[in-house]
Amino acid sequence: MRLDRSRQSENVEDRRSSGPRIGGRGTIGIGTIVLALVAMYFGVDPSVVLQMAEGPPTQQEAPASRPPANDPQAVFVSKVLGETEDVWTSIFQNELNRQYVEPKLVLFRGATPTACGTGQSAMGPFYCPGDSKVYIDLSFFDELQSRFKAPGDFAQAYVIAHEVGHHVQHLLGISDQVDNLRRRNPAQANALSVRMELQADCFAGLWAQRADAARNILEGGDVEEALAAATAIGDDRLQKQTQGYVVPDAFTHGTSAQRVRWFKRGLESGSLKQCDTFGASSL
């Protein structure tokens, strides 16, 4: 990626200096731990996992500061976040006649309190609608390369853009509508989750197209890196790797082919209308 013309966002909170810190809800049962381990893949709706935690909030939020200027990974994250802010601010203002409210992005290690409960590294990057923050333990990027065989800076940018996509869904009221549908029809919860995740993938592709058109951020091989990441975390592939067989009814994020398809749809069209996974007859 070419980020030399990109500004750093001021919305990055660095909690890493405080080390692993359990907060938010109190005691965490074994069920939560198991679900968190299963949810190591990014894009997981934290409310599904974190609400398993028992007891009321017991600690204050870990101290936050700006990341150090000599931290290459933090600078990279700040610039990618800045690119998402510029793209979505323009879309909201010029196409939706609305104001884009920028999310915060929290860097942490181990665990940290969130408005959705206790966030843990084992969950991978996630978005919490309760505080409009994206949470990332940067060690996930090492795992993205080693475990998921999806290296590259644009693969990492795709992760961030996907989570920001969930923030956009929150601002547009899509998340609330889906939550209402889930409550009315719990049997459709997984299918609705798949459409949510695929739309966030499409939003990530849309962002990449708009950012590249504005500042020429993409280099040769970048798109392939994102597609490799999308392929690596498809439900079918992950289930095959972890349990040896595939259970389509248990999908929550979409197959590898679906994730690639919707990311490419956003990338090729650059259009919000083309990211309507809920209106699509086929995913």
Side-chain angles (χ1 to χ4, degrees):
M1 291 184 71
R2 287 184 291 262
L3 295 175
D4 51 298
R5 297 172 56 194
S6 304
R7 65 176 181 83
Q8 292 188 51
S9 170
E10 297 182 356
N11 290 311
V12 178
E13 299 179 6
D14 193 350
R15 300 183 190 172
R16 294 173 297 170
S17 61
S18 60
R21 177 181 174 121
I22 302 296
R25 299 180 187 271
T27 304
I28 299 176
I30 187 66
T32 306
I33 296 173
V34 172
L35 285 175
L37 291 174
V38 172
M40 291 177 71
Y41 321 115
F42 66 81
V44 174
D45 179 355
S47 64
V48 175
V49 177
L50 296 177
Q51 286 177 4
M52 295 291 294
E54 301 172 358
T58 58
Q59 296 188 26
Q60 296 294 317
E61 187 173 276
S65 61
R66 292 292 301 277
N70 61 350
D71 184 334
Q73 273 196 311
V75 170
F76 171 79
V77 169
S78 298
K79 288 193 172 187
V80 172
L81 185 63
E83 286 289 345
T84 68
E85 291 167 353
D86 291 347
V87 166
W88 287 111
T89 294
S90 174
I91 291 174
F92 270 60
Q93 178 179 331
N94 298 325
E95 300 176 29
L96 302 175
N97 196 29
R98 296 179 55 172
Q99 181 180 0
Y100 179 65
V101 181
E102 299 171 350
K104 300 287 186 180
L105 187 150
V106 179
L107 303 177
F108 72 99
R109 287 194 180 102
T112 192
T114 82
C116 298
T118 301
Q120 301 184 55
S121 299
M123 297 169 57
F126 63 91
Y127 172 70
C128 174
D131 53 23
S132 297
K133 293 181 179 181
V134 173
Y135 290 85
I136 298 179
D137 185 326
L138 293 180
S139 64
F140 176 79
F141 291 150
D142 296 329
E143 187 174 15
L144 191 63
Q145 176 173 340
S146 60
R147 177 186 173 90
F148 298 114
K149 310 302 179 186
D153 53 3
F154 194 66
Q156 298 173 8
Y158 161 59
V159 172
I160 297 169
H162 174 96
E163 297 307 333
V164 171
H166 286 309
H167 176 64
V168 172
Q169 291 173 322
H170 176 57
L171 294 181
L172 295 179
I174 296 171
S175 302
D176 288 340
Q177 294 176 36
V178 169
D179 286 342
N180 290 333
L181 289 172
R182 283 171 175 160
R183 284 191 290 269
R184 294 205 304 266
N185 192 354
Q188 292 297 310
N190 282 2
L192 289 167
S193 176
V194 167
R195 291 181 184 268
M196 281 279 288
E197 297 299 332
L198 294 180
Q199 186 176 63
D201 283 334
C202 189
F203 284 168
L206 183 160
W207 160 75
Q209 195 267 7
R210 298 290 187 102
D212 187 53
R215 277 171 292 282
N216 195 28
I217 67 168
L218 296 181
E219 297 179 302
D222 281 347
V223 172
E224 288 75 15
E225 290 174 4
L227 296 180
T231 299
I233 45 74
D235 282 326
D236 54 340
R237 180 163 176 172
L238 294 176
Q239 287 185 359
K240 188 70 173 177
Q241 289 175 344
T242 57
Q243 61 192 26
Y245 56 92
V246 175
V247 184
D249 288 344
F251 288 174
T252 57
H253 289 67
T255 66
S256 294
Q258 288 171 334
R259 301 202 72 163
V260 167
R261 184 181 306 126
W262 282 96
F263 175 81
K264 290 176 68 175
R265 187 164 179 168
L267 180 68
E268 292 168 359
S269 70
S271 168
L272 272 176
K273 293 181 180 179
Q274 292 298 315
C275 290
D276 182 13
T277 56
F278 296 94
S281 59
S282 174
L283 297 176

